[in-house]
Amino acid sequence: MNTSVAVGHLKGVSNSDKRKIQQVAEFTGASADQAWFELQNKGGDVQAAISSLIDNPFEVVKTKVQKQKQRQSGNRDGGNGSGRRDDRGGDRDGRRRGGDRERGGERGPPRRK
């Protein structure tokens, strides 16, 4: 690959390590920081770092605020998403609909004995 990865911001890293970081980052598409982290975990072994990043790429973790903004921007119609129910049987917003007596739902007419 012929693209260059910026490694100048990494302080205290030797030139040989910077070359390794560039190799790993260019081959895997990871950032310089991700490549450096993986190289450190693999004891400086370039091939092991590349294999690890290919098999288990880094995932971007979003903060609670970022997730809320994403939901708001993708949810402009005012609904509550796709309308699907969650695993617990409630709506996505956590409320349950009536009808289930054991869970405190609406009660039907009293039974006659």
CSV table of all heavy atoms in Angstrom, one decimal, residues 28-56:
chain,number,residue,atom,x,y,z
A,28,THR,N,-3.8,-3.0,7.8
A,28,THR,CA,-5.1,-3.3,8.4
A,28,THR,C,-6.1,-2.2,8.3
A,28,THR,O,-7.3,-2.4,8.5
A,28,THR,CB,-4.9,-3.6,9.9
A,28,THR,OG1,-4.4,-2.4,10.6
A,28,THR,CG2,-4.0,-4.8,10.1
A,29,GLY,N,-5.7,-1.0,8.0
A,29,GLY,CA,-6.6,0.2,7.9
A,29,GLY,C,-6.9,0.7,9.3
A,29,GLY,O,-7.8,1.6,9.4
A,30,ALA,N,-6.2,0.3,10.3
A,30,ALA,CA,-6.4,0.8,11.7
A,30,ALA,C,-5.7,2.2,11.8
A,30,ALA,O,-4.8,2.5,11.0
A,30,ALA,CB,-5.8,-0.2,12.7
A,31,SER,N,-6.0,2.9,12.8
A,31,SER,CA,-5.3,4.2,13.1
A,31,SER,C,-4.0,3.9,13.7
A,31,SER,O,-3.7,2.7,14.1
A,31,SER,CB,-6.2,5.0,14.1
A,31,SER,OG,-6.1,4.4,15.4
A,32,ALA,N,-3.1,4.9,13.7
A,32,ALA,CA,-1.8,4.7,14.3
A,32,ALA,C,-1.9,4.3,15.7
A,32,ALA,O,-1.1,3.5,16.2
A,32,ALA,CB,-1.0,6.0,14.1
A,33,ASP,N,-2.8,4.9,16.5
A,33,ASP,CA,-3.0,4.6,17.9
A,33,ASP,C,-3.4,3.2,18.1
A,33,ASP,O,-2.9,2.5,19.0
A,33,ASP,CB,-4.0,5.6,18.5
A,33,ASP,CG,-3.5,7.0,18.6
A,33,ASP,OD1,-2.3,7.2,18.8
A,33,ASP,OD2,-4.3,7.9,18.5
A,34,GLN,N,-4.3,2.7,17.3
A,34,GLN,CA,-4.8,1.3,17.4
A,34,GLN,C,-3.6,0.4,17.0
A,34,GLN,O,-3.4,-0.7,17.7
A,34,GLN,CB,-5.9,1.1,16.4
A,34,GLN,CG,-7.2,1.8,16.9
A,34,GLN,CD,-8.3,1.8,15.8
A,34,GLN,OE1,-8.0,1.5,14.6
A,34,GLN,NE2,-9.5,2.1,16.2
A,35,ALA,N,-2.9,0.7,16.0
A,35,ALA,CA,-1.7,-0.2,15.6
A,35,ALA,C,-0.7,-0.2,16.7
A,35,ALA,O,-0.1,-1.3,17.0
A,35,ALA,CB,-1.1,0.4,14.3
A,36,TRP,N,-0.4,1.0,17.3
A,36,TRP,CA,0.6,1.0,18.4
A,36,TRP,C,0.1,0.2,19.6
A,36,TRP,O,0.9,-0.5,20.2
A,36,TRP,CB,0.9,2.5,18.8
A,36,TRP,CG,1.8,2.7,19.9
A,36,TRP,CD1,1.6,3.4,21.0
A,36,TRP,CD2,3.2,2.2,20.0
A,36,TRP,NE1,2.7,3.4,21.8
A,36,TRP,CE2,3.7,2.6,21.2
A,36,TRP,CE3,4.0,1.3,19.3
A,36,TRP,CZ2,5.0,2.3,21.7
A,36,TRP,CZ3,5.2,1.0,19.7
A,36,TRP,CH2,5.7,1.5,20.9
A,37,PHE,N,-1.1,0.3,19.9
A,37,PHE,CA,-1.7,-0.4,21.0
A,37,PHE,C,-1.5,-1.9,20.8
A,37,PHE,O,-1.1,-2.7,21.7
A,37,PHE,CB,-3.2,0.0,21.2
A,37,PHE,CG,-3.8,-0.8,22.3
A,37,PHE,CD1,-3.7,-0.4,23.6
A,37,PHE,CD2,-4.6,-1.9,22.0
A,37,PHE,CE1,-4.3,-1.1,24.7
A,37,PHE,CE2,-5.3,-2.6,23.0
A,37,PHE,CZ,-5.1,-2.2,24.4
A,38,GLU,N,-1.9,-2.4,19.6
A,38,GLU,CA,-1.8,-3.8,19.3
A,38,GLU,C,-0.4,-4.3,19.2
A,38,GLU,O,-0.1,-5.4,19.7
A,38,GLU,CB,-2.5,-4.1,18.0
A,38,GLU,CG,-3.0,-5.5,17.8
A,38,GLU,CD,-3.9,-6.0,18.9
A,38,GLU,OE1,-4.8,-5.2,19.3
A,38,GLU,OE2,-3.7,-7.1,19.4
A,39,LEU,N,0.5,-3.5,18.7
A,39,LEU,CA,1.9,-3.8,18.7
A,39,LEU,C,2.5,-4.0,20.1
A,39,LEU,O,3.2,-4.9,20.4
A,39,LEU,CB,2.8,-2.8,18.0
A,39,LEU,CG,2.9,-3.0,16.5
A,39,LEU,CD1,3.4,-1.7,15.8
A,39,LEU,CD2,3.7,-4.2,16.1
A,40,GLN,N,2.1,-3.1,21.0
A,40,GLN,CA,2.5,-3.3,22.4
A,40,GLN,C,2.0,-4.6,23.0
A,40,GLN,O,2.7,-5.2,23.8
A,40,GLN,CB,2.0,-2.1,23.2
A,40,GLN,CG,2.8,-0.8,22.9
A,40,GLN,CD,2.3,0.4,23.7
A,40,GLN,OE1,1.1,0.6,23.9
A,40,GLN,NE2,3.2,1.2,24.1
A,41,ASN,N,0.7,-4.9,22.7
A,41,ASN,CA,0.1,-6.1,23.3
A,41,ASN,C,0.8,-7.4,22.7
A,41,ASN,O,0.8,-8.4,23.4
A,41,ASN,CB,-1.4,-6.2,22.9
A,41,ASN,CG,-2.2,-5.3,23.8
A,41,ASN,OD1,-1.7,-4.9,24.9
A,41,ASN,ND2,-3.4,-4.9,23.4
A,42,LYS,N,1.3,-7.3,21.5
A,42,LYS,CA,2.0,-8.4,20.9
A,42,LYS,C,3.5,-8.4,21.0
A,42,LYS,O,4.2,-9.1,20.2
A,42,LYS,CB,1.5,-8.5,19.4
A,42,LYS,CG,0.0,-8.7,19.2
A,42,LYS,CD,-0.5,-9.9,19.9
A,42,LYS,CE,-2.0,-10.0,19.7
A,42,LYS,NZ,-2.6,-11.1,20.5
A,43,GLY,N,4.0,-7.6,21.8
A,43,GLY,CA,5.5,-7.6,22.1
A,43,GLY,C,6.3,-7.1,20.9
A,43,GLY,O,7.4,-7.5,20.7
A,44,GLY,N,5.7,-6.2,20.0
A,44,GLY,CA,6.4,-5.7,18.9
A,44,GLY,C,6.4,-6.6,17.6
A,44,GLY,O,7.0,-6.3,16.6
A,45,ASP,N,5.6,-7.7,17.7
A,45,ASP,CA,5.5,-8.6,16.6
A,45,ASP,C,4.5,-8.1,15.6
A,45,ASP,O,3.3,-8.1,15.8
A,45,ASP,CB,5.1,-10.0,17.1
A,45,ASP,CG,5.1,-11.1,16.0
A,45,ASP,OD1,5.3,-10.7,14.8
A,45,ASP,OD2,5.0,-12.2,16.3
A,46,VAL,N,5.0,-7.6,14.4
A,46,VAL,CA,4.2,-7.0,13.4
A,46,VAL,C,3.2,-8.0,12.9
A,46,VAL,O,2.0,-7.6,12.7
A,46,VAL,CB,5.1,-6.4,12.2
A,46,VAL,CG1,4.2,-5.9,11.1
A,46,VAL,CG2,6.0,-5.3,12.7
A,47,GLN,N,3.6,-9.2,12.5
A,47,GLN,CA,2.6,-10.2,12.0
A,47,GLN,C,1.5,-10.5,12.9
A,47,GLN,O,0.4,-10.7,12.6
A,47,GLN,CB,3.3,-11.4,11.5
A,47,GLN,CG,4.1,-11.2,10.2
A,47,GLN,CD,4.7,-12.4,9.6
A,47,GLN,OE1,4.9,-13.4,10.3
A,47,GLN,NE2,5.0,-12.4,8.3
A,48,ALA,N,1.9,-10.7,14.2
A,48,ALA,CA,0.9,-11.0,15.2
A,48,ALA,C,-0.1,-9.8,15.4
A,48,ALA,O,-1.3,-10.1,15.6
A,48,ALA,CB,1.5,-11.3,16.6
A,49,ALA,N,0.4,-8.6,15.4
A,49,ALA,CA,-0.5,-7.4,15.5
A,49,ALA,C,-1.4,-7.3,14.3
A,49,ALA,O,-2.6,-7.1,14.5
A,49,ALA,CB,0.4,-6.2,15.6
A,50,ILE,N,-0.9,-7.6,13.1
A,50,ILE,CA,-1.8,-7.5,11.9
A,50,ILE,C,-2.8,-8.6,12.0
A,50,ILE,O,-4.0,-8.4,11.8
A,50,ILE,CB,-0.9,-7.7,10.6
A,50,ILE,CG1,-0.1,-6.4,10.4
A,50,ILE,CG2,-1.8,-8.0,9.4
A,50,ILE,CD1,0.9,-6.5,9.3
A,51,SER,N,-2.4,-9.8,12.3
A,51,SER,CA,-3.4,-10.9,12.5
A,51,SER,C,-4.5,-10.6,13.5
A,51,SER,O,-5.7,-10.9,13.3
A,51,SER,CB,-2.7,-12.2,12.8
A,51,SER,OG,-1.9,-12.6,11.8
A,52,SER,N,-4.1,-10.1,14.6
A,52,SER,CA,-5.0,-9.8,15.7
A,52,SER,C,-6.0,-8.7,15.2
A,52,SER,O,-7.2,-8.8,15.5
A,52,SER,CB,-4.3,-9.3,16.9
A,52,SER,OG,-5.2,-9.0,17.9
A,53,LEU,N,-5.5,-7.7,14.6
A,53,LEU,CA,-6.4,-6.6,14.1
A,53,LEU,C,-7.3,-7.0,13.0
A,53,LEU,O,-8.5,-6.5,12.9
A,53,LEU,CB,-5.6,-5.4,13.6
A,53,LEU,CG,-5.0,-4.5,14.8
A,53,LEU,CD1,-4.0,-3.5,14.2
A,53,LEU,CD2,-6.1,-3.8,15.5
A,54,ILE,N,-6.9,-7.9,12.2
A,54,ILE,CA,-7.8,-8.5,11.1
A,54,ILE,C,-8.8,-9.3,11.7
A,54,ILE,O,-10.0,-9.3,11.3
A,54,ILE,CB,-6.9,-9.2,10.0
A,54,ILE,CG1,-6.1,-8.2,9.2
A,54,ILE,CG2,-7.9,-10.0,9.1
A,54,ILE,CD1,-5.2,-8.8,8.3
A,55,ASP,N,-8.4,-10.2,12.6
A,55,ASP,CA,-9.4,-11.1,13.3
A,55,ASP,C,-10.4,-10.4,14.2
A,55,ASP,O,-11.5,-10.8,14.3
A,55,ASP,CB,-8.7,-12.2,14.0
A,55,ASP,CG,-7.9,-13.2,13.1
A,55,ASP,OD1,-8.2,-13.2,11.9
A,55,ASP,OD2,-7.0,-13.9,13.6
A,56,ASN,N,-9.9,-9.4,14.9
A,56,ASN,CA,-10.7,-8.7,15.9
A,56,ASN,C,-10.5,-7.2,15.8
A,56,ASN,O,-9.7,-6.6,16.6
A,56,ASN,CB,-10.2,-9.1,17.4
A,56,ASN,CG,-10.3,-10.6,17.6
A,56,ASN,OD1,-11.4,-11.2,17.3
A,56,ASN,ND2,-9.3,-11.2,18.0
